[in-house]
Amino acid sequence: MPEQRCYDLRVEYQRAPIGVGVHQPCFSWLATGVLDAFEVAVDRGDGRPAWRSGRVAGDLPAVEYAGGPLDSNQVYRWQVRAWLDGAGEPSEWAASTFETGLLGPADWHAAWIGPKQEPTAMERWTLVDWITGRRPATPVEERLRPVQLLRQRFQVQAEVTRARLYATAHGIYTAQVNGQDAGDEVLAPGFDSYRHRVSVQCYDVTDLLTAGENELGFALADGWWAGRIGISGSSAQFGAETSATWQLHLDHADGRTELVCSGSDVESATGPWAYADLFVGEHFDRRVEPTGWTPVALTGENTAMLRPFTGEPVRRILELPALHVTGDAETGWIVDFGQVLAGRIRLTVREPRSGQVVTLSHTETLQPDGTWFDNIKGINKEQTDVYVAAGLPGSETYEPVFTFHGFRYTRIHGLPSAPALDDVVAVVLGSDLEWTGSFETSDPRLDRLHRNVVWSQRANFLSVPTDCPQRERAGWTGDIQVFAPAATNNAQVVPFLSRWLTNLRADQLPDGRVPIMSPYSPYDAESAAAATGIGAIVAAAGWSDAIALVPWTLYERTGDRRVLEENLDAMLAWVDAPQPGSGFGDWLTPSTLEGRPIHEAIGIAPALTGALVAPMFQARTLTVTALAARALGRYTLADQLERRADGVRAEFAAAHVSADGRLPVDLQGPYALALAFGMIPGPLRAAAAARLAALVEARGHRLDTGFLSVPYLLDALWDNGYPELARRVLWQSEMPSWLYEVDRGATTIWESWDAIAPDGTVRAGSLNHYAFGCVDDWLYRRVAGIQPTSPGYRTAVIEPDLAIGVDSVRAHVGTPYGRLAVAWHRAGDTAEIQVTVPPGITATAWKVPLVPGENTVSVTLPIH
Ligand code: RAM
């Protein structure tokens, strides 16, 4: 028997992290055996103890720090040992480290400083402007302003053993020490609900310092703070001027700590960036040297809302080579990367001429004849970068810094000959999640569908969970509510979504309403107050419910109770809030969009389904909040919430369910939701399910579910006796269906099922909306057959659908206990299922208990 041990030690889900910003960090690890008990010890690295848990009985390899207050900016060592598989003796200690960030407001001594600047143009656009085609009257060059450069010089006298730079901005920034990047993250500080909280980054800059004079350099652009964001493309939604604040902590060999803080000794200038905007793009002139350094002002802005960044920063996560180039110098070279993505281009210009202007535009699809097509219409959605070369000998390489785009194709103007494929690279940006799942089958179309979902997750898990990475790029609550279960299979999303939920809670209104997007800017609130119709919606059924449904999904899939503890009060405030009106209803229900212009069609599903969807989500959220309360030991509260949920269900049944199990709106969506959320009284369920089945048959097994119901359709069929119909919907290749998109060459999940029509016609819209990719969860649960039956997969059932229509499947998910993997193969009437069960998970396959480690289960079909 191999030696028993703990390994893969994590703090806040990360290995040996620095800048940990929580007061009670969570320690987790993997173990070689089934956990009976564990002990964790934390010290200051020099042996001075901070906390010792003692022997703790438990089967989840994770525990929260429970010692005295941790110091800020401090290195800690921690160790764990475990009693495994009933052994009387613990394993050896396994050790790792972590560092705290600046944990409290009192740790911040630096001032906010602001460069001398013209405030950014206050552009206030509305949904109506967008729909009616009103556009800015002045060219982009006149509306945008330069990126500000900042510098601060300081002396390093004695040897520095450890240096940590803490920095953030109102805007987005890069930080350099002596001309070298302080870290590898991009678009810092990331998107937050800045009126409530601004994240502070922590960089290890020890190796960048030299003895004597040193220089800190920052570049500061508008970003989410002052730039153009959201569906309207309005600017200055949080503020019209940018500013920054930082403090550098220098630990010296003699034990002294020195601080270098942003203050009045900082100078600012403008330089090569004529402008930079997340939506519009940036203009970089390599010939321009910074000039006119002038002292900055102390802006007096509050530092009380500074918070250590949590989760994974946005980084360059992948690079994709160019596949081919078409076009010509005059109409532009069109470069295809073969994949819709979020990111930007790194271009090498050969034999550059001084003053040569190279323009890079971006789009997600071309016309069927291969000519250019801008698929994103709207105000300030240019997605175009301009590079002006300096004429350096040989070549120059340019990658934008303060923007990103959603695209598959780039059109390049300003190059006399076609760029070599190696000279154009797509740099994929995203929050640097740990990708913990995989899914592959013997069917290439199903595989492509899964990969499309992963690509849409990658592109839209970018600082906050967004609807799309090119048009609105907003933290729409409904979209992530729908997609969260799928997201958990592919990646470890607890840190990322917990940070976003912190923003969402900050954005919750005093009356408990949860806004339809977060971060929610002051301008979002103003423009909703001034609008009518869809533009006036502040909270909505299925959107606002993200406050309960996202945390519950995270808890179910990871067993992390903290997510529930953090969000329970916000859930309770939401269930007591004034209930919203019809909201978006079952948004984008396909049949309601057919045959009408989109601006007319878009309101039909809300009007038709809004009144049904609202009580259904109210009931579901009450149930989930009751489950959360119960999981946290709040039994009386849970009972009360359950009674309220029962009441909503009874009222719904009385008002909307007829004696023959019918609903007043005869669409797939309401039936799928009603069955999934337990809205149909028991004796009528079979009739309601039969009606759903009939509707699915009548549509020729094509989808007619909107945003809110699509995640439930296949389960509603499957769980109510129609597995064959669920399979047919999955395999459907006519529009609207998942494989229709795959057959049309989709490389991500689209917002509209008909974004590319059967005749190849393309229409404006997003090709990168993960919401309808929620089906990926079904692929993991039913096609691979990996089903959690208690939080964090503590217990699981492995029961793939061997009749799904593929010969083999190979998949795995990450769990708190390690990798849970399935590989099955079918030949004729027999199938073999291999399951790798990590120690700590109790799993069965068709009631056969599985052992920790490798299992092989052979079955003959059909299985009963
Ligand atoms: C669209 C967004 C998003 C959706 C809202 C209601 O504009 O792209 O997907 O949640 O509308």
Side-chain angles (χ1 to χ4, degrees):
M1 191 165 169
E3 195 204 338
Q4 296 220 318
R5 61 193 179 90
C6 300
Y7 64 101
D8 197 9
L9 275 55
R10 311 277 185 121
V11 178
E12 293 293 308
Y13 292 93
Q14 291 174 9
R15 298 187 178 106
I18 67 167
V20 171
V22 293
H23 294 269
Q24 290 167 288
C26 179
F27 303 104
S28 59
W29 61 91
L30 296 178
T32 51
V34 177
L35 197 65
D36 303 316
F38 58 83
E39 180 170 15
V40 167
V42 182
D43 65 58
R44 282 180 168 73
D46 54 5
R48 275 190 300 153
W51 180 53
R52 194 147 181 158
S53 69
R55 187 183 192 273
V56 180
D59 53 18
L60 185 72
V63 68
E64 239 178 66
Y65 176 79
L70 292 170
D71 291 333
S72 288
N73 189 42
Q74 170 71 41
V75 183
Y76 287 92
R77 186 173 72 126
W78 73 283
Q79 304 182 77
V80 58
R81 61 177 180 172
W83 287 259
L84 302 170
D85 294 331
E89 291 297 310
S91 68
E92 292 290 304
W93 291 97
S96 185
T97 60
F98 70 98
E99 282 184 34
T100 47
L102 301 181
L103 294 169
D107 295 318
W108 202 262
H109 305 286
W112 279 103
I113 50 114
K116 211 170 130 229
Q117 60 193 298
E118 281 295 317
T120 203
M122 301 276 280
E123 295 180 34
R124 296 306 200 216
W125 305 98
T126 65
L127 261 186
V128 176
D129 296 329
W130 186 47
I131 291 164
T132 56
R134 196 158 85 91
R135 294 288 178 270
T138 49
V140 112
E141 303 269 348
E142 292 170 28
R143 291 184 289 118
L144 304 177
R145 60 189 187 142
V147 170
Q148 297 288 334
L149 308 179
L150 303 166
R151 71 177 182 197
Q152 183 181 33
R153 299 202 168 120
F154 62 97
Q155 297 290 323
V156 171
Q157 312 289 12
E159 192 200 334
V160 172
T161 50
R162 175 174 167 272
R164 297 289 179 267
L165 172 65
Y166 295 91
T168 192
H170 287 155
I172 47 176
Y173 75 93
T174 56
Q176 295 191 322
V177 178
N178 297 321
Q180 303 214 49
D181 290 338
D184 57 3
E185 66 184 77
V186 298
L187 308 176
F191 196 6
D192 273 305
S193 188
Y194 299 124
R195 286 291 167 96
H196 302 286
R197 54 199 317 280
V198 179
S199 292
V200 173
Q201 281 62 51
C202 173
Y203 305 94
D204 177 358
V205 296
T206 317
D207 295 338
L208 304 181
L209 295 167
T210 55
E213 179 155 285
N214 288 264
E215 185 175 287
L216 280 173
F218 285 76
L220 186 54
D222 285 348
W224 292 280
W225 171 267
R228 286 119 199 97
I229 56 170
I231 190 158
S232 67
S234 301
S235 63
Q237 295 198 30
F238 292 92
E241 297 190 20
T242 51
S243 52
T245 181
W246 64 80
Q247 62 190 41
L248 173 63
H249 290 235
L250 304 174
D251 289 354
H252 293 291
D254 61 7
R256 273 182 317 118
T257 294
E258 213 185 330
L259 287 191
V260 178
C261 293
S262 53
S264 47
D265 58 330
V266 177
E267 296 175 302
S268 75
T270 57
W273 283 277
Y275 61 77
D277 184 271
L278 288 170
F279 276 23
V280 176
E282 69 171 43
H283 184 296
F284 184 88
D285 187 339
R286 176 158 243 149
R287 297 168 304 174
V288 179
E289 293 293 332
T291 47
W293 290 100
T294 47
V296 296
L298 305 185
T299 64
E301 289 160 289
N302 198 342
T303 55
M305 88 288 282
L306 298 184
R307 297 283 179 278
F309 180 83
T310 58
E312 304 82 2
V314 180
R315 293 199 175 97
R316 298 173 178 87
I317 52 178
L318 279 174
E319 293 191 351
L320 290 189
L323 295 186
H324 44 80
V325 181
T326 55
D328 53 51
E330 204 185 324
T331 57
W333 307 106
I334 297 179
V335 185
D336 180 6
F337 296 95
Q339 175 62 55
V340 172
L341 57 94
R344 54 204 187 194
I345 297 297
R346 194 175 64 232
L347 173 73
T348 300
V349 181
R350 302 281 164 191
E351 305 304 332
R353 280 177 296 104
S354 174
Q356 180 180 352
V357 179
V358 182
T359 305
L360 302 159
S361 329
H362 302 79
T363 191
E364 292 182 328
T365 184
L366 301 178
Q367 295 281 14
D369 65 0
T371 55
W372 192 253
F373 175 75
D374 271 320
N375 74 305
I376 296 304
K377 313 278 181 221
I379 303 164
N380 291 327
K381 311 290 197 284
E382 273 85 351
Q383 299 213 95
T384 298
D385 301 314
V386 181
Y387 176 68
V388 185
L392 302 182
S395 67
E396 292 172 24
T397 297
Y398 166 68
E399 180 193 326
V401 175
F402 297 109
T403 195
F404 70 93
H405 311 297
F407 67 101
R408 167 176 167 169
Y409 302 93
T410 299
R411 182 175 55 184
I412 310 177
H413 279 106
L415 294 181
S417 53
L421 292 181
D422 290 350
D423 287 344
V424 208
V425 175
V427 181
V428 178
L429 302 188
S431 288
D432 197 2
L433 307 178
E434 181 181 2
W435 295 88
T436 50
S438 69
F439 178 87
E440 279 172 86
T441 74
S442 52
D443 185 87
R445 294 159 84 221
L446 227 43
D447 284 11
R448 186 68 241 190
L449 172 61
H450 166 70
R451 288 207 308 280
N452 292 357
V453 175
V454 171
W455 273 103
S456 282
Q457 181 170 353
R458 221 174 243 147
N460 286 296
F461 275 53
L462 200 161
S463 195
V464 299
T466 57
D467 56 335
C468 56
Q470 12 47 5
R471 191 184 62 213
E472 289 150 64
R473 316 180 186 193
W476 281 99
T477 46
D479 302 48
I480 188 60
Q481 183 272 111
V482 166
F483 185 67
T488 63
N489 300 323
N490 292 321
Q492 174 52 264
V493 294
V494 171
F496 176 87
L497 289 177
S498 292
R499 173 172 161 270
W500 176 74
L501 285 162
T502 306
N503 278 305
L504 185 60
R505 293 195 301 276
D507 282 328
Q508 187 167 25
L509 302 176
D511 66 5
R513 280 179 301 159
V514 176
I516 51 176
M517 64 182 91
S518 176
Y520 196 65
S521 76
Y523 177 69
D524 288 324
E526 275 166 42
S527 61
T532 53
I534 284 180
I537 298 174
V538 173
W543 271 254
S544 306
D545 297 288
I547 192 63
L549 304 184
V550 172
W552 182 250
T553 298
L554 294 177
Y555 173 66
E556 274 194 312
R557 299 300 172 88
T558 67
D560 191 333
R561 282 164 54 96
R562 249 189 342 180
V563 190
L564 299 183
E565 287 161 3
E566 286 168 2
N567 291 289
L568 182 65
D569 287 345
M571 300 181 199
L572 293 169
W574 165 237
V575 298
D576 285 337
Q579 286 301 305
S582 59
F584 302 108
D586 199 13
W587 185 242
L588 302 187
T589 297
S591 62
T592 66
L593 301 174
E594 285 160 10
R596 295 181 192 84
I598 188 74
H599 61 275
E600 275 174 31
I602 207 88
I604 296 176
L608 208 56
T609 60
L612 282 183
V613 157
M616 291 204 267
F617 272 88
Q618 204 192 355
R620 176 66 187 151
T621 287
L622 280 164
T623 297
V624 160
T625 308
L627 289 167
R630 199 168 294 288
L632 296 176
R634 308 267 304 265
Y635 302 114
T636 315
L637 176 63
D639 291 344
Q640 283 163 5
L641 290 161
E642 266 163 26
R643 278 197 297 277
R644 277 179 68 185
D646 291 345
V648 175
R649 288 193 171 88
E651 259 176 57
F652 179 90
H656 303 299
V657 186
S658 69
D660 56 359
R662 291 286 190 95
L663 295 173
V665 178
D666 218 17
L667 289 169
Q668 293 175 18
Y671 282 96
L673 280 171
L675 287 163
F677 291 176
M679 306 306 293
I680 312 272
L684 301 179
R685 276 184 75 85
R691 185 62 202 152
L692 173 62
L695 288 169
V696 170
E697 297 271 16
R699 263 297 274 171
H701 312 108
R702 292 176 306 130
L703 290 169
D704 195 19
T705 37
F707 244 59
L708 297 181
S709 59
V710 71
Y712 301 102
L713 177 68
L714 299 186
D715 284 316
L717 292 169
W718 186 280
D719 294 340
N720 291 287
Y722 299 92
E724 190 49 34
L725 275 189
R727 293 179 192 124
R728 294 187 75 158
V729 174
L730 179 68
W731 287 109
Q732 173 62 261
S733 55
E734 271 174 43
M735 190 179 81
S737 71
W738 288 288
L739 293 184
Y740 169 79
E741 294 188 1
V742 169
D743 291 345
R744 301 308 310 171
T747 61
T748 37
I749 301 296
W750 302 344
E751 179 182 29
S752 310
W753 298 106
D754 60 349
I756 300 177
D759 67 0
T761 314
V762 292
R763 49 175 270 197
S766 159
L767 292 192
N768 205 351
H769 249 68
Y770 54 46
F772 292 147
C774 54
V775 68
D776 202 45
D777 189 48
W778 204 80
L779 298 183
Y780 276 95
R781 285 187 293 107
R782 293 284 182 206
V783 178
I786 309 175
Q787 300 161 25
T789 50
S790 59
Y793 293 85
R794 173 68 191 79
T795 61
V797 158
I798 306 299
E799 290 180 7
D801 177 9
L802 302 168
I804 189 68
V806 296
D807 296 331
S808 64
V809 176
R810 184 179 285 277
H812 83 276
V813 294
T815 80
Y817 310 91
R819 213 176 134 104
L820 174 58
V822 171
W824 66 260
H825 174 85
R826 177 181 170 172
D829 286 345
T830 60
E832 200 173 84
I833 303 107
Q834 276 159 337
V835 190
T836 312
V837 180
I841 290 185
T842 305
T844 59
W846 296 283
K847 309 224 161 47
V848 178
L850 302 173
V851 296
E854 305 300 324
N855 296 263
T856 303
V857 182
S858 300
V859 292
T860 308
L861 283 88
I863 305 170
H864 292 293

